[in-house]
Amino acid sequence: MPAIMEKKIEDITPYGNEKAKKEQVKDMFDNIAGTYDMLNKTLSFGVDRLWRKTMLRHLNKTGATRILDVATGTGDVAISIAKKMKKASVMAIDLSPGMLKVGAEKVKKEGLENKVTMKEEDSENLSFETGQFEAATVAFGVRNFEHLEQGLSEMHRVLQKDGRIFVLEFSKPKTFPFKQLFKLYFRYVLPAAGKLMSKDDRAYRYLFESATAFPEGDDFIKILEQVGFKNAVCKPLTFGICSLYIAKK
Ligand SMILES: C[S@@+](CC[C@H](N)C(=O)[O-])C[C@H]1O[C@@H](n2cnc3c(N)ncnc32)[C@H](O)[C@@H]1O
C-alpha cells in the first residue's frame, strides 16, 4: 500500500486552493471577527484564557518593556500584557483588518491607547528595525502562517540579542482518554458549533485540520532552532491540548 502523504501545515488552507493561504486566512478572520471572542470563550470553556495567562506569567519574569504581539487578532494578549506589565508598551500586529478593528475598540474601552498600538502587518515581512523588541509573543497564530519559518525568522530578526519569543499553539494529547476526547471535540463538535455560531462553514474545520498538521513539540523546537533561536523549551498545558514554547535569540 502506498504511504499516505501527510500534509504540511503550509498546505492546510481554509478554503481550498483558489488563493494563497495568506489571503484565505485574512478573509477567514475578517469573516469571523465579529464572533471570534464569543466563540473562543464558549468553545474552549474559558481555558484559552488560562493558557494566555500562563504565557503572560513567563513573559512578566523577563521584565521586558518593548514587546511585539504577533497575530494579535482581537488583542487579548496585548491587552493583558499592557494591564499586567506597567512599564510595557505593546506593538500588536495582525493581517486581518476585521480582527484589528474589534481589538482597537477593546483597547480604547480599556483606556490603553497609550500602551498598545494596533497595526496591520504581515508577520512574514515586518516593517520594524532589527533588534527593536525585547520580547515577542504569538498566541494561536503560527499555525496560520503561510510560510512558518519565514514568520519565525522575522520575529527572530526584530528581537534584540537575548530577547525571548513566547509561542502558544494547539498540540495533540497523547494519552487516553484525552487523545480520543480531543479528536472527537476538535473534529466533530467544534466544526458543528462553529458553523452554527459564526456562519463560516470552513473556519472550524480548518481549525481541526491545521491543529492536526502542526509540527508540535520537538518538531517545532527544531524549527525554532533552524531559524536561529536557542535554548528552546516546550511546556505542555492542560493534558497537552496546548503547548507553550519559549526560546531566546
Ligand atoms: C486564531 S487567531 C489568534 C488571535 C489572538 N492571538 C488570540 O490569542 O486570540 C490567529 C490570527 O493570526 C493572524 N495571522 C495569520 N497569519 C498572519 C500573518 N502572516 N501575519 C500576521 N497575522 C497573521 C490572523 O489574522 C488571526 O487574527
Side-chain angles (χ1 to χ4, degrees):
M1 278 239 304
I4 297 170
M5 289 284 286
E6 274 185 31
K7 273 195 176 180
K8 282 183 73 184
I9 187 65
E10 286 88 350
D11 300 328
I12 306 285
T13 58
Y15 307 117
N17 300 318
E18 274 174 24
K19 290 183 189 172
K21 175 168 179 175
K22 198 173 291 181
E23 284 303 307
Q24 296 192 32
V25 164
K26 184 173 170 175
D27 289 349
M28 182 184 77
F29 282 103
D30 277 344
N31 284 345
I32 64 170
T35 48
Y36 179 83
D37 283 345
M38 182 270 290
L39 270 169
N40 246 359
K41 213 190 283 173
T42 317
L43 298 177
S44 77
F45 308 105
V47 186
D48 63 312
R49 286 192 60 209
L50 298 180
W51 297 333
R52 289 192 195 83
K53 249 188 174 169
T54 304
M55 180 166 80
L56 181 57
R57 210 179 57 239
H58 286 278
L59 170 67
N60 193 26
K61 284 188 213 155
T62 65
T65 56
R66 286 170 284 116
I67 299 166
L68 174 69
D69 183 37
V70 167
T72 194
T74 60
D76 279 356
V77 171
I79 290 171
S80 58
I81 294 171
K83 278 182 166 172
K84 180 151 179 116
M85 299 172 69
K86 299 295 174 216
K87 292 185 182 158
S89 65
V90 189
M91 175 56 71
I93 68 109
D94 200 280
L95 267 188
S96 155
M99 295 288 272
L100 286 169
K101 187 164 176 269
V102 176
E105 281 159 17
K106 285 158 66 178
V107 169
K108 192 169 172 207
K109 204 168 154 201
E110 297 280 353
L112 292 170
E113 294 108 309
N114 291 340
K115 299 193 69 185
V116 180
T117 307
M118 308 286 282
K119 191 162 186 258
E120 194 178 323
E121 286 255 346
D122 175 4
S123 66
E124 294 170 29
N125 186 20
L126 294 170
S127 67
F128 309 113
E129 279 171 29
T130 299
Q132 191 176 329
F133 297 98
E134 288 166 275
T137 53
V138 53
F140 309 106
V142 289
R143 190 169 37 88
N144 301 294
F145 291 175
E146 182 169 324
H147 305 104
L148 178 58
E149 281 89 347
Q150 176 61 20
L152 294 170
S153 286
E154 272 293 86
M155 292 175 78
H156 182 270
R157 180 182 68 77
V158 299
L159 279 174
Q160 68 176 34
K161 187 176 175 294
D162 291 334
R164 298 282 199 289
I165 184 174
F166 299 83
V167 181
L168 266 184
E169 196 47 86
F170 288 113
S171 41
K172 297 172 282 296
K174 309 280 182 290
T175 54
F176 176 85
F178 305 106
K179 184 177 169 182
Q180 288 72 13
L181 284 173
F182 172 87
K183 196 163 176 191
L184 195 74
Y185 189 69
F186 264 68
R187 185 165 197 169
Y188 300 108
V189 181
L190 270 185
K195 182 180 173 183
L196 207 68
M197 293 194 260
S198 77
K199 310 280 180 249
D200 189 312
D201 202 26
R202 280 286 305 159
Y204 285 79
R205 263 193 290 148
Y206 165 76
L207 173 59
F208 167 71
E209 288 164 11
S210 56
T212 305
F214 186 70
E216 63 187 60
D218 288 346
D219 291 338
F220 189 65
I221 284 184
K222 265 188 216 138
I223 296 173
L224 283 170
E225 288 170 351
Q226 271 160 20
V227 303
F229 286 103
K230 297 181 289 194
N231 303 358
V233 292
C234 168
K235 298 175 185 290
L237 309 174
T238 322
F239 315 112
I241 298 170
C242 178
S243 294
L244 171 64
Y245 303 88
I246 305 176
K248 186 166 110 170
K249 178 164 176 178

